[in-house]
Amino acid sequence: MNSNLSPVVSRFAPSPTGRMHLGNIFTALMSWLAARSSGGKWILRIEDLDPQRSRPQYARQIEDDLLWLGLDWDEGGVDGSGPHAPYCQSGRHHLYEAALEALTAAGFTYPCFCTKADINASQAPHASDGRVIYPGTCRPAPGKAITGSGRIPAVRLKVEGSVEFDDAVFGHRIVDLGAEWGDFVLRRADGAWAYQLAVVVDDAQMGLTHVVRGSDLLGSCAPQLYLCRLLGFPEPHYIHLPLICNSSGIRLSKRDQALGMEQLRQHFTPRQIIGLLARLGGLVADRTECAASELVELFDVNKIPRDYTIRLNML
Ligand code: GLU
């Protein structure tokens, strides 16, 4: 344990929509090491906000796979014991509701009656990656009348200005929130909670000091920090990790069976898999076999490669 570090409380927050792959395990390992190397705590949060795609059996399988790899958690999981229970987002709607009420009471939100088709048809501006940015059709303004047309509205956040933050791997960032996000949705018209709100509420309520996750979510830091600041929550530190790609340079997905847990468990031992991930994470120089617990002393965020992706040529 590195006694110079203050204890890190980090989490692994899988969506139970399939079996994990090597990329998910890499995130879990690095997040676990950040906690264990500082004498902190590791929380397992099940992000099952999407009822269509989430399955409890996947969540149980994720738990079984993590334990097989030697990654144990201090709080959370499907049956969620711990001071911040429940640890499945499906049981935490009351907390998201309270945050939304606070934002609404402070005048930061507004109802939005636009459909997806309305927004697509509206010549809306685009973010740098081509996403359509909401043009502000329903945003209240003096003298502007909005007709509800009998539809249940979504709730949007009014967004102004830019957000600055530091990521431990990818460095200093300044994001123009208006240009990159616009007024984003907090609760959809069908009542579903937006990932951005749920994550911010959960990370704060669970006392997270560090968010360790894949670089695919680096772009979500700005809206999340913005919400955090409006809600007066403490800001977490961010450690974003390179994404593991297959030999063709394509990011692994849950559909990539070859590097999914089922295949990995059939062909490799936990020590072989952890050893490979330790090398990809820059913790060891050569191919080796080791247990996760043997890496605790070696973990150092500065060793993580500063690349958005790591191409995996072979196991
Ligand atoms: N649930 C998200 C995922 O499985 C992770 C969210 C996060 O780490 O903030 O990709």
Side-chain angles (χ1 to χ4, degrees):
M1 186 172 99
N2 187 337
S3 52
N4 295 326
L5 290 177
S6 45
V8 165
V9 181
S10 59
R11 44 57 162 193
F12 183 51
S15 306
T17 56
R19 197 111 182 232
M20 291 190 292
H21 54 62
L22 202 64
N24 303 129
I25 309 167
F26 182 59
T27 301
L29 174 65
M30 292 295 151
S31 168
W32 183 87
L33 287 171
R36 293 286 176 258
S37 64
S38 64
K41 248 188 337 186
W42 199 52
I43 297 178
L44 176 60
R45 183 168 75 226
I46 307 296
E47 300 213 324
D48 57 351
L49 271 187
D50 180 349
Q52 313 297 327
R53 297 175 60 229
S54 302
R55 300 273 179 279
Q57 62 268 33
Y58 286 133
R60 298 214 179 268
Q61 187 69 66
I62 289 169
E63 293 190 342
D64 187 68
D65 288 336
L66 288 173
L67 293 175
W68 182 80
L69 289 160
L71 304 177
D72 57 334
W73 53 96
D74 303 294
E75 282 179 34
V78 186
D79 298 325
S81 53
H84 310 293
Y87 291 86
C88 291
Q89 288 187 323
S90 54
R92 301 175 58 81
H93 291 200
H94 58 290
L95 296 167
Y96 313 141
E97 188 71 60
L100 185 68
E101 274 170 25
L103 292 167
T104 300
F108 295 133
T109 72
Y110 61 90
C112 172
F113 296 92
C114 297
T115 61
K116 229 184 195 138
D118 293 334
I119 299 167
N120 287 337
S122 69
Q123 313 272 306
H126 293 262
S128 53
D129 61 3
R131 277 175 302 118
V132 173
I133 305 292
Y134 182 61
T137 318
C138 293
R139 188 195 250 248
K144 179 168 158 190
I146 303 286
T147 47
S149 69
R151 230 183 264 146
I152 296 175
V155 180
R156 286 187 184 270
L157 186 72
K158 284 184 207 161
V159 157
E160 311 281 352
S162 54
V163 173
E164 274 189 64
F165 65 95
D166 286 297
D167 181 79
V169 174
F170 294 101
H172 189 68
R173 303 261 145 172
I174 305 177
V175 179
D176 177 342
L177 217 52
E180 291 299 319
W181 284 86
D183 292 348
F184 59 89
V185 169
L186 299 177
R187 193 178 60 201
R188 293 197 325 225
D190 64 3
W193 293 102
Y195 155 72
Q196 307 296 359
L197 180 68
V199 163
V200 166
V201 169
D202 289 345
D203 285 347
Q205 197 262 349
M206 294 177 183
L208 270 300
T209 61
H210 288 66
V211 169
V212 186
R213 60 187 178 191
S215 65
D216 53 329
L217 291 169
L218 187 59
S220 287
C221 286
Q224 290 176 9
L225 271 174
Y226 190 76
L227 272 170
C228 219
R229 290 170 189 170
L230 291 182
L231 286 162
F233 293 162
E235 296 176 20
H237 299 279
Y238 289 104
I239 302 175
H240 283 84
L241 305 166
L243 298 179
I244 299 187
C245 294
N246 63 23
S247 50
S248 324
I250 298 169
R251 187 184 139 196
L252 298 186
S253 83
K254 287 188 175 144
R255 286 178 294 273
D256 269 304
Q257 299 294 319
L259 294 167
M261 275 310 290
E262 189 173 342
Q263 294 287 324
L264 292 174
R265 279 181 77 156
Q266 276 172 25
H267 298 290
F268 302 97
T269 65
R271 292 179 64 84
Q272 288 172 320
I273 297 170
I274 296 288
L276 170 79
L277 294 177
R279 182 163 61 83
L280 297 180
L283 305 186
V284 292
D286 297 312
R287 192 169 180 145
T288 180
E289 293 185 14
C290 62
S293 56
E294 290 164 332
L295 296 171
V296 169
E297 296 288 328
L298 298 178
F299 178 76
D300 178 350
V301 76
N302 296 313
K303 294 179 184 166
I304 298 172
R306 263 82 186 130
D307 301 314
Y308 287 101
T309 56
I310 300 176
R311 191 184 281 225
L312 189 70
N313 289 315
M314 52 172 190
L315 202 60

